[in-house]
Amino acid sequence: MNAKAFVLCLLPVTATAQGFAGLGTDVDGFSTPAPNPVFDFPADHGPHPDYRIEWWYLTANLEDADGTPYGLQWTLFRSALAPYDVEGWQSPQLWMGHAAVTTETDHFVAERLARGGIGQAGVVADPFNAWIDDWALEGDWQMMQMRASGTDFAYQMDLTANGPLVFHGDGGYSVKSAAGQASYYYSQPFFDISGTLQLPTGDVEVTGSAWLDREWSSQPLAENQTGWDWFSLSFDDGDKLMGFRLQQDDGMNYTSATWITADGDATPYPDGALQVEPLGLNAADVPVRWRLTLPDRGVDVTVQAINDDAWMATSVPYWEGPVTFEGTHQGRGYLEMTGYE
Amino acid sequence: MTRAAFGALLSHWWRNPLQLFTLLAGLALATGLWSGVQAINAEARASYDAAASTLDEGRYDRLVARDGGAFAQDNYIALRRAGWQVSPMVTGDLNGVRLIGLDALTAPSGMGPVSLGGGTDLGAFLTGSAQVFANAATAARLDGVEVLIADDLANDTAVADIGTAQALLGREGLIDSLLVMPDQPVGLPALGEVAPDLTMQAAQGGTDIAGLTDSFHLNLTAFGLLSFAVGIFIVHGAIGLAFEQRRGMVRTLRALGVPLNRLIGLMLAELLVFALVAGVIGVALGYVIAALLLPDVAATLRGLYGADVSGNLQLRPVWWLSGLGIAFAGTLIAGGSALWGISKMPLLAAAQPRALAMAAGRRARWQLVVALVLLALAAVLVFTADGLVAGFAMLGALLIGAAFALPPVLNAVLAFASARAKGVTAQWFWADTRQQLPGLSLALMALMLAIAANVGVSTMVSSFRLTFTGFLDQRLASELYVSTDSAEQTAALISYAETEGVAVLPIQSADVQIAGHPAEVFGTRDHATYRDNWQFLQSSAGAWDATFAGQAVVINEQLARRAGLALGDPVTFGSVTLPVAGIYGDYGNPVGQVVLVEDVFATEFPHVVARQFGLRISGDVGDFVNDLTAATGIGAGQTIDQAGIKAVSLAIFERTFTVTTALNILTLAVAGFAILMSLLTLAAMRVPQLAPAWAMGMTRAALGRLELLRAVMLAVLTAVLALPLGLALAWVLLAVVNVAAFGWQLPMYLFPLDYARLGGFALVAAVLAAGWPAWRLARTPPGDLLKVFANER
């Protein structure tokens, strides 16, 4: 094994440790999320080095002038080897960026890795700037700019928020298992987005909506949890639904959901309220058709990937791509699935 | 009964210790040569495999400071923030060890050889706990740091996280070079906009080294096999003689009731014990040989190919086992026919000492038939051989066929001489030589194989050397290579060179497809450099004139072979179609090449701008670089002193000869030993044949002189016959095996002086081997000779 592969294996973001990507590994010396959080903005938009894992996770449903759909992802992961930060190469904070553009026929992926402490990657809360190499997400959370590039694609986007932040679970304390594992989790699901996709076939001007997730924890998954299926759905009438199912190695699941009205009022739903059921697999045995039901809101929809092959062949591989849905409600959204490699 | 029978069998060796010594020494020497060569091979391979993976940096383009020194880490951050996928490296000397600092997260995957155990603490490695990786030998030299053992690292090399390395070297915030990843994102800004003080150095390319060193090793292996074959002939002779002499004992034992199978089993067990003993001695001997030769081999490879071979020898199970295995295999091959003979022997067959010679007479005809079949097979394989196995099969058929053909051919020569001999003494001399031939033939075969192997390998190594010095002259003809960053620098370089009267040869290339194969096209300037230095494998008259007139191109051998192009065939790429005027050797390069004149190149590839230049400098290169920097701002980091590199390479390559000569002498010593043993064994049997000659008035001194003369004459005859065999062997190695293995042919050169020297060595070996038996013969007590007439044998 070469040194790099080794580093990646020890990153608390791989599938070799307990749970998916080591997210179920014990915490030593790291802080753990506690109930009834009080958030402090803008500071909490910035990093929390005493927690082991953290992300700034943006997905967007886009379309060009002809109505052709596109999906876009911009993600910055922080992963800590130790619960502190210092300047220089000695920093135990490691950074990983993932960017992707999904079309109906193609899926473009890029990955970046960086050490903390030297300026190559990081997040500053105020004025907000999250970056790794030339990729960046910056602005004041009302107006933001975002860019990323890979060997075969690039994009530059402008974002405008037209709604409030949404806190999942109990005021931002999101429980992930019956054993009580939890994370801090809030979103800005109300971004309007527009910009340019640079694809091998040429530049495409696109507009759409984007959803930015913020989450940090030290052990968000229980040891017996092997992966998750995460949905963010935007209904045509303006309401939104965030829901996830955590898979357990005993075949059982743990689900959680947040109903978000068009005004930004959030209602959390506990384990079992949301039901998700895979309906169909793609060629690689990843479920890309789902049935979602939330009886309390009269939701019973079938979710279908826009492109079945939105596989993220990154150091920690997973599936992430845009979806559409129909049934009792119509709309579009994003699907992330881990634990299928 | 078994023990008694075994004791009886072994008693033969007590009574014939010399035979036992021959057997063990022959096998041990053969195994020693084989395992010595294998050890050198294995060590060199392991060593530069490690070096190659440690120093994989060479595979990547890199950014270095224009002035060749270190630069601030800010440049790295600026480049990354601009999208450049680069990875920082810092290197320096730590207690005489080369410490390489790298960033594991951004380094190209596959770089860094560090195989880390499961218990390693990554946090400690990355967060400045002064952890470094090194192999065990190097670790002993590192104090004050926590050394983790990584055996696949090259000697004198340690790897650490870049932050740790900067701290250990006292070079915080500094970077020596940035490796440039092959895949870069779209929309990358120009280097000059982001880091104007840095310049790009093109990758060195790693494939050449692998191709060349593999070829060298294959040839060494072939040599090891030949040495072993020589040894096996000796062992075969010793075993054959011992079994022949024990026929009487076998008959007696069987008559006493020992079952044949058990007897065969006992003899087999006896042989295997010998093989084990000789094998262990041989492997130890091989270690000594390798230890003596390895520093030279290491120096050769390092100088030649830049392959970093450690001069230390480690006992590797691979060649221990292969040495023992080959000792066993060799013993079984050598003893097989003897055991077979015993098993087929009638229970009460007469045990006749003369049976050896008589049987040899009958066997000679069979040998001739086998030899002719094998030689015919080799001849067929010349035309049909395709691939490495066929190449080696042909080598084997040729060698064994030639060895088997030796006794009949010698016999024919002797018969011819005998028929024309004048005078009694001369006639007796020739007849007696013929009589002795069967007993000596195995030793002579060994001698022939040894001489042939030496001729072949000397030819091969020397051809190799000539070819590569020629190749280096061809490829590194310019004394200085300069890379420029911009059109302004290029212009400054050219105008400065003009004022200095220095020729500037642009190096510009484009990738194309020719007949479906990837190839590089080079646009070159008409200059004597090419005419003087490039050697063609084939060329038509005025190849360079036609090429520089834009009427033709020259191509490399790889392209010629792959695309099936011969002289005069048209080569087409883009809108250009020109005939081939010459084919040049391009050793180790996997890609086809086309060289054409720069005007045509510029028309076809208008967007390719030369950024690299070869400069022909007659004076001191260092002074020129200083002046160039002062005049144009082109830094030392942008230049490569090829003249210096070449001089060092050539000087070190001369040491290959040390290795070759040492191996030559060793094989000949083995063959000489075989002759000595054969003559000593024959001496006792020859007394009855010499006694009548003595009785009729020849002095013992005259008999001794004739013995010596006979040995020399046979050695000369054998050497003469070995020469064409050796040349054939070299040809097979260079033109068949090398092509099969690597896709290119090494041109064969002849070295008559070397052959004469080898012939001299062979003669010396024969004289030394025959000297003592002849001297003993001259001192035979007259009583012993008289006894021949008194005793019935």
Side-chain angles (χ1 to χ4, degrees), chain A residues 1-2 89 115 120 133 150, chain B residues 76 80-81 103 114 161 186:
Chain A
M1 186 194 307
N2 66 58
W89 292 103
R115 302 275 285 276
Q120 186 189 341
D133 292 351
Chain B
Y76 166 61
R80 290 293 304 205
R81 294 299 309 272
D103 173 30
V114 187
D161 177 59
V186 295

Side-chain angles (χ1 to χ4, degrees), chain B residues 465-676:
Chain B
R465 192 180 81 108
L466 263 192
T467 304
F468 279 105
T469 50
F471 179 60
L472 286 178
D473 280 341
Q474 169 180 322
R475 285 313 164 85
L476 307 181
S478 297
E479 285 76 13
L480 183 72
Y481 283 72
V482 180
S483 310
T484 59
D485 292 336
S486 60
E488 294 76 43
Q489 272 198 351
T490 306
L493 172 69
I494 290 171
S495 72
Y496 178 74
E498 267 174 16
T499 60
E500 296 289 311
V502 166
V504 177
L505 306 174
I507 299 165
Q508 48 195 346
S509 67
D511 294 335
V512 296
Q513 291 273 328
I514 293 175
H517 302 278
E520 295 172 308
V521 176
F522 283 82
T524 48
R525 181 166 295 174
D526 186 355
H527 191 264
T529 300
Y530 302 103
R531 298 171 199 270
D532 295 348
N533 291 298
W534 285 46
Q535 292 168 351
F536 288 115
L537 301 176
Q538 302 168 40
S539 63
S540 47
W544 282 119
D545 290 338
T547 301
F548 289 130
Q551 306 293 318
V553 297
V554 293
I555 63 175
N556 69 355
E557 183 189 4
Q558 283 81 338
L559 182 63
R561 281 182 188 275
R562 262 180 235 148
L565 293 170
L567 291 182
D569 289 350
V571 175
T572 303
F573 50 91
S575 62
V576 177
T577 299
L578 288 170
V580 174
I583 298 171
Y584 56 89
D586 189 12
Y587 306 101
N589 175 11
V591 182
Q593 282 186 356
V594 178
V595 173
L596 82 169
V597 71
E598 60 178 332
D599 304 343
V600 180
F601 182 88
T603 314
E604 184 63 26
F605 305 102
H607 303 300
V608 177
V609 181
R611 284 275 192 259
Q612 286 187 300
F613 301 88
L615 272 63
R616 301 307 309 268
I617 299 165
S618 49
D620 184 273
V621 174
D623 292 347
F624 182 88
V625 172
N626 291 337
D627 296 345
L628 179 71
T629 306
T632 64
I634 294 172
Q638 291 172 263
T639 66
I640 301 172
D641 176 3
Q642 293 289 31
I645 293 172
K646 191 168 74 179
V648 171
S649 300
L650 290 180
I652 296 178
F653 195 12
E654 294 303 317
R655 299 177 66 173
T656 324
F657 269 136
T658 325
V659 181
T660 318
T661 307
L663 287 177
N664 278 344
I665 290 175
L666 274 170
T667 20
L668 282 172
V670 172
F673 182 75
I675 296 177
L676 172 69

Side-chain angles (χ1 to χ4, degrees), chain A residues 175 177-178 244-246 248 253-257 268-274:
Chain A
V175 177
S177 81
F244 57 81
R245 177 185 84 153
L246 293 159
Q248 292 169 201
N253 300 312
Y254 183 92
T255 67
S256 174
Y269 284 92
D271 180 25
L274 173 75

Side-chain angles (χ1 to χ4, degrees), chain A residues 1-11 81-82 84 88-95 111-115 117-121 129 131-136 138 147 149-154 198, chain B residues 73 76-77 80-85 88 102-118 120-123 125-128 161-164 166-167 173 175 183-187:
Chain A
M1 186 194 307
N2 66 58
K4 183 175 180 180
F6 178 70
V7 168
L8 293 176
C9 281
L10 273 210
L11 276 179
L81 297 167
Y84 62 87
W89 292 103
Q90 290 73 28
S91 165
Q93 305 289 328
L94 307 178
W95 298 86
E111 178 176 48
R112 299 292 174 84
L113 297 170
R115 302 275 285 276
I118 55 167
Q120 186 189 341
N129 187 10
W131 78 94
I132 182 166
D133 292 351
D134 53 325
W135 303 2
E138 56 192 339
R147 60 184 173 274
S149 63
T151 54
D152 46 4
F153 76 102
Q198 291 173 254
Chain B
Q73 191 166 303
Y76 166 61
I77 302 301
R80 290 293 304 205
R81 294 299 309 272
W84 278 73
Q85 295 299 290
L102 47 81
D103 173 30
L105 257 65
T106 52
S109 44
M111 201 184 117
V114 187
S115 300
L116 304 177
T120 318
D121 179 0
L122 178 78
F125 181 68
L126 287 185
T127 53
D161 177 59
I162 184 162
T164 303
Q166 283 178 344
I175 283 171
D183 290 329
Q184 295 290 334
V186 295

Side-chain angles (χ1 to χ4, degrees), chain A residues 233-249:
Chain A
L233 305 183
S234 297
F235 298 93
D236 286 346
D237 61 10
D239 291 344
K240 294 173 190 294
L241 172 66
M242 185 289 295
F244 57 81
R245 177 185 84 153
L246 293 159
Q247 310 138 19
Q248 292 169 201
D249 54 14

